[in-house]
Amino acid sequence: MRSAKDFFKPLAVGAPEPVREIPVKPSRMIHFFPPSIPKMVAKVPDIAPTVDILLGNLEDGVPMADKEAARAGLVEVGETVEMGSTQLWTRVNSLDSPWCLDDLTTLVTEIGDKLDVIMIPKVEGPEDIHYVDRLLAQLEARAGLTKPLLVHAILETARGVANVEEICAASPRMQGLSLGPADLAANRRMKTTRVGGGHPGYLVRQDPPSGSGERGPDHEADRTTYQQDLWHYTIARMVDACVANGILPFYGPFGDIADTVACEDQFRNAYLLGCVGAWSLHPVQIGIAKKVFSPDPAEVAHAQRVIEAMGDGTGAIMLDGKMEDDASVKQCHVVVELARSLAERDPDLAAAYGFR
Ligand code: GLV
Ligand code: MG
């Protein structure tokens, strides 16, 4: 184990000092684009101002034959597109792939000063983060970077979930985690065949009417079923591991692009459980993430009322028939602080919240 005293020393001579706090910036959506497709690259200047995070994807979804073109396309974006306050991230190929070493070497040395975060897929344990940590330090030193790159890991293997706390704590570079439901389902041998979201077969059923003695398929229609969330356990575990280590949790992809309603539901479950954002795989999901991960103006107004009514924030009061105390006012501060940070980036939200 590394001594606490050494944790914030650069891992290579000439590399920048590690950060002590992960910057909390608006991160409602990580919008994926394929840099291997020139038509998509051409749209980047228009899309960038509409999202909090733009991610050049080099991994799954990019055909093998296009891996090098994707890397080159992202370098071009980094060199030519003015990102303003939008963060630029990449998802590199997995550590065991033939492309990862060149992905990291090329991106850090050519556009390392333009990238904020590097997403590493299929992280299994802290040893994967230690490898990336040292390699990034060497490459940062070679590139003469003054700001360290941060690392985001995708939680998409059973071993990764089992080691989630150690992954979060493995390096001061760790910025956050995303749930990767598609790979995780495959790795766990879940019997789903979809990218994220619920499944109609994962349910519980109301008890039979008491004393009816009726059982079996003929009577099942009389008994209400409730679909359950396949991802509840993993998201909750991920949120706890992230918060315990001062890093940020995200929901990942929702593959049924046409089902905007279920996408919104899945994103909202993640938001309510503590996630800061989700992936958007299509422009239609940008608006969904923006809506869900920005607190509702009515909630913000309520939270401000509680804060106001609670004075110095201690004790207990009754407001609209409900008890409020030190703990509920803390929840209200979470909502108002998020609203304030989003309002700084988004004048429409500032107006909706009544902030000036
Ligand atoms: C994302 O990469 C996933 O596998 O869901
Ligand atoms: Mg995956």
Side-chain angles (χ1 to χ4, degrees):
M1 203 174 78
R2 214 178 335 162
S3 148
K5 295 194 194 64
D6 292 340
F7 212 62
F8 290 101
K9 288 187 184 152
L11 287 175
V13 175
E17 263 194 32
V19 294
R20 299 206 166 226
E21 296 281 345
I22 292 305
V24 180
K25 301 182 186 163
S27 301
R28 293 164 293 181
M29 74 297 292
I30 306 173
H31 185 67
F32 275 52
F33 79 98
S36 53
I37 304 179
K39 205 174 87 192
M40 295 298 192
V41 172
K43 289 186 181 165
V44 163
D46 292 331
I47 293 185
T50 70
V51 297
D52 294 338
I53 299 164
L54 189 70
L55 179 146
N57 175 36
L58 309 186
E59 199 223 10
D60 291 356
V62 175
M64 266 204 311
D66 294 346
K67 292 290 186 190
E68 264 123 52
R71 197 186 293 143
L74 183 55
V75 170
E76 185 194 324
V77 167
E79 282 172 344
T80 58
V81 179
E82 183 43 64
M83 295 294 294
S85 58
T86 299
Q87 301 176 54
L88 181 63
W89 292 21
T90 182
R91 176 170 80 166
V92 294
N93 287 286
S94 60
L95 297 173
D96 60 354
S97 75
W99 306 288
C100 182
L101 183 60
D102 288 338
D103 289 345
L104 291 170
T105 307
T106 304
L107 295 175
V108 178
T109 54
E110 297 193 19
I111 54 163
D113 55 336
K114 302 288 177 2
L115 286 171
D116 294 285
V117 175
I118 298 186
M119 184 184 272
I120 309 286
K122 302 177 178 67
V123 169
E124 302 256 33
E127 67 283 2
D128 289 339
I129 303 300
H130 295 158
Y131 168 79
V132 171
D133 201 8
R134 178 80 72 174
L135 179 59
L136 286 180
Q138 292 171 338
L139 294 171
E140 286 166 345
R142 180 187 287 181
L145 298 185
T146 52
K147 187 168 74 79
L149 284 153
L150 301 181
V151 168
H152 182 105
I154 314 180
L155 204 54
E156 52 184 351
T157 67
R159 189 150 85 79
V161 176
N163 290 327
V164 64
E165 288 85 8
E166 288 81 1
I167 291 170
C168 293
S171 160
R173 289 183 199 275
M174 281 302 298
Q175 177 274 349
L177 293 184
S178 284
L179 172 75
D183 270 303
L184 184 54
N187 185 264
R188 280 178 172 161
R189 298 198 193 92
M190 290 166 65
K191 306 305 180 293
T192 51
T193 52
R194 45 181 69 194
V195 175
H199 193 288
Y202 192 69
L203 51 78
V204 291
R205 188 177 303 274
Q206 196 182 29
D207 277 3
S210 74
S212 70
E214 289 168 349
R215 296 282 194 281
D218 290 349
H219 301 286
E220 73 183 17
D222 305 335
R223 297 164 57 188
T224 311
T225 59
Y226 304 91
Q227 196 173 316
Q228 308 290 293
D229 184 357
L230 283 167
W231 304 109
H232 176 81
Y233 153 75
T234 316
I235 295 178
R237 184 150 181 208
M238 175 179 79
V239 169
D240 283 346
C242 285
V243 175
N245 286 283
I247 74 173
L248 308 174
F250 293 71
Y251 179 75
F254 188 90
D256 191 345
I257 306 297
D259 194 351
T260 51
V261 177
C263 176
E264 182 171 332
D265 293 337
Q266 185 74 60
F267 283 8
R268 185 164 292 104
N269 289 347
Y271 167 74
L272 287 169
L273 278 178
C275 290
V276 299
W279 299 6
S280 55
L281 304 180
H282 183 278
V284 75
Q285 295 183 341
I286 296 174
I288 300 174
K290 206 173 261 187
K291 175 176 170 201
V292 171
F293 290 98
S294 308
D296 184 58
E299 278 287 300
V300 176
H302 167 74
Q304 284 179 299
R305 247 186 98 217
V306 175
I307 291 169
E308 175 98 342
M310 276 293 292
D312 70 1
T314 64
I317 57 163
M318 292 299 288
L319 199 62
D320 304 334
K322 293 191 185 123
M323 194 276 289
E324 307 288 352
D325 68 358
D326 310 45
S328 64
V329 82
K330 283 181 195 151
Q331 296 170 53
C332 293
H333 278 297
V334 169
V335 171
V336 173
E337 273 163 30
L338 174 60
R340 287 204 183 281
S341 92
L342 295 175
E344 268 173 38
R345 180 168 167 77
D346 187 334
D348 291 345
L349 268 184
Y353 295 146
F355 298 158
R356 294 281 164 252

